[in-house]
């Protein structure tokens, strides 16, 4: 679906990167998809057709250590400067892409206009198997987390850099969020991830829209008709 758009591929700090140009005159606004570039791109395709520009950069790990979040911030500034755009962009974050997007918004809120999250990972302890997740991928998640953070079974219990541990900057900077989730998701447990963010936003007056997808598991992401997402995002752009 994304191959229909003009694309520039390049390397940024040793990471494969790309910019996709809209199929109509640019409106000067930038989107960043944080992970899983080709996955379920109905929203991105629709936005590219409306004049938005999409960028993406690969990462050596999907688990959003601060060092990678810093590189993402540098990448956004680089792309915005090259395209003569404002660096404040729409974030598209699915699963671990949600982890990356929310950490970016917490550490660099000046670079984020709106967050579109879909089944977002927001709690690394949950993904390491310390909660209700018992899916077959937990050993893979654990091995990747050990490689990324150097965790062992004791040190992960003291980890406090999951997005749910640092949500105050999201409220302080008035970052709007639209979040989609499936109520049959047994991989990213909503009660341990998205629900924590949802409750925090409700309790603190944050601007949040939540779309529950009955019977949907962790996949597919996004929506066949992304109109509700588009309408929310465009109504919240500065």
């Amino acid at each position: 679906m994304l191959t229909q758009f003009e694309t520039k591929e390049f390397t940024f700090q040793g990471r494969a990167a790309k910019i996709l140009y809209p199929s109509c005159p640019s409106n000067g606004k930038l989107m960043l998809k944080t992970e899983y570039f080709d996955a379920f791109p109905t929203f991105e395709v629709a936005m590219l057709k409306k004049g938005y520009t999409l960028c993406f950069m690969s990462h050596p790990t999907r688990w959003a250590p601060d060092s990678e979040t810093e590189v993402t911030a540098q990448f956004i500034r680089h792309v915005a400067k090259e395209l003569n755009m404002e660096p404040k962009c729409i974030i598209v974050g699915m699963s671990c892409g949600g982890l990356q997007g929310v950490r970016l918004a917490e550490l660099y809120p000046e670079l984020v206009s709106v967050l579109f999250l879909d089944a977002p990972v927001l709690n690394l302890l949950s993904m390491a198997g310390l909660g209700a997740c018992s899916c077959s991928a937990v050993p893979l998640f654990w091995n990747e987390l050990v490689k990324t953070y150097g965790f062992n079974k004791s040190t992960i219990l003291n980890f406090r850099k999951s997005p749910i541990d640092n949500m105050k900057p999201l409220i302080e900077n008035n970052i709007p969020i639209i979040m989609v989730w499936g109520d049959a998701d047994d991989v990213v447990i909503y009660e341990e991830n998205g629900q924590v963010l949802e409750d925090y936003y409700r309790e603190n007056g944050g601007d949040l829209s939540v779309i529950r997808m009955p019977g949907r598991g962790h996949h597919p992401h996004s929506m066949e008709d992304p109109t509700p997402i588009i309408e929310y995002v465009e109504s919240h752009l500065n």
Side-chain angles (χ1 to χ4, degrees), residues 10 12-13 15 32 57 59 66-82 87 104 108 110-111:
F10 59 104
F12 183 81
Q13 297 191 21
R15 296 154 178 84
L32 171 73
M57 180 184 67
H59 294 276
D66 288 355
S67 58
E68 279 304 299
T69 305
E70 181 181 357
V71 175
T72 300
Q74 294 169 2
F75 173 67
I76 292 171
R77 294 188 184 105
H78 169 81
V79 171
K81 183 177 180 180
E82 178 172 311
L104 178 74
Y108 303 94
E110 71 278 7
L111 299 179

Side-chain angles (χ1 to χ4, degrees), residues 58-134:
S58 63
H59 294 276
T61 173
R62 55 182 168 173
W63 298 101
D66 288 355
S67 58
E68 279 304 299
T69 305
E70 181 181 357
V71 175
T72 300
Q74 294 169 2
F75 173 67
I76 292 171
R77 294 188 184 105
H78 169 81
V79 171
K81 183 177 180 180
E82 178 172 311
L83 299 177
N84 194 28
M85 293 180 178
E86 288 295 320
K88 202 162 192 167
C89 61
I90 301 161
I91 302 297
V92 181
M94 300 175 178
S95 192
C96 281
L99 167 70
Q100 296 173 19
V102 178
R103 281 302 284 162
L104 178 74
E106 291 172 347
L107 295 174
Y108 303 94
E110 71 278 7
L111 299 179
V112 176
S113 56
V114 186
L115 284 165
F116 161 38
L117 306 176
D118 191 301
V121 171
L122 301 176
N123 180 357
L124 294 193
L125 276 69
S126 173
M127 304 311 297
L130 299 178
C133 180
S134 58

Side-chain angles (χ1 to χ4, degrees), residues 30-77:
L30 187 63
M31 296 184 291
L32 171 73
K33 190 165 186 179
T34 49
E35 189 73 12
Y36 314 118
F37 176 71
D38 294 314
F40 310 104
T42 54
F43 170 76
E44 300 94 283
V45 168
M47 296 293 272
L48 281 159
K49 290 179 178 179
K50 289 170 68 70
Y52 294 84
T53 301
L54 175 65
C55 63
F56 172 82
M57 180 184 67
S58 63
H59 294 276
T61 173
R62 55 182 168 173
W63 298 101
D66 288 355
S67 58
E68 279 304 299
T69 305
E70 181 181 357
V71 175
T72 300
Q74 294 169 2
F75 173 67
I76 292 171
R77 294 188 184 105

Side-chain angles (χ1 to χ4, degrees), residues 84-230:
N84 194 28
M85 293 180 178
E86 288 295 320
K88 202 162 192 167
C89 61
I90 301 161
I91 302 297
V92 181
M94 300 175 178
S95 192
C96 281
L99 167 70
Q100 296 173 19
V102 178
R103 281 302 284 162
L104 178 74
E106 291 172 347
L107 295 174
Y108 303 94
E110 71 278 7
L111 299 179
V112 176
S113 56
V114 186
L115 284 165
F116 161 38
L117 306 176
D118 191 301
V121 171
L122 301 176
N123 180 357
L124 294 193
L125 276 69
S126 173
M127 304 311 297
L130 299 178
C133 180
S134 58
C135 73
S136 60
V138 167
L140 171 64
F141 298 156
W142 173 247
N143 288 335
E144 290 182 0
L145 287 166
V146 169
K147 184 176 180 180
T148 300
Y149 288 96
F151 287 146
N152 59 46
K153 294 294 185 180
S154 297
T155 58
I156 192 173
L157 296 175
N158 296 315
F159 183 74
R160 293 297 179 270
K161 287 188 177 181
S162 290
I164 60 168
D165 297 318
N166 188 37
M167 294 183 286
K168 189 176 180 181
L170 303 175
I171 295 293
E172 290 178 336
N173 291 279
N174 301 310
I175 294 179
I177 300 174
I178 182 164
M179 181 163 56
V180 179
W181 68 286
D183 64 8
D185 190 341
D186 63 352
V187 178
V188 180
I189 307 302
Y190 188 69
E191 291 76 12
E192 298 172 3
N193 291 271
Q195 183 75 62
V196 183
L197 175 63
E198 179 180 350
D199 291 347
Y200 186 84
Y201 257 58
R202 305 291 189 212
E203 292 165 4
N204 291 278
D207 194 323
L208 174 74
S209 177
V210 177
I211 300 175
R212 173 176 167 266
M213 304 291 281
R216 193 180 85 173
H218 190 58
H219 292 157
H221 292 303
S222 194
M223 303 173 73
E224 277 190 39
D225 178 4
T227 299
I229 306 167
I230 294 168

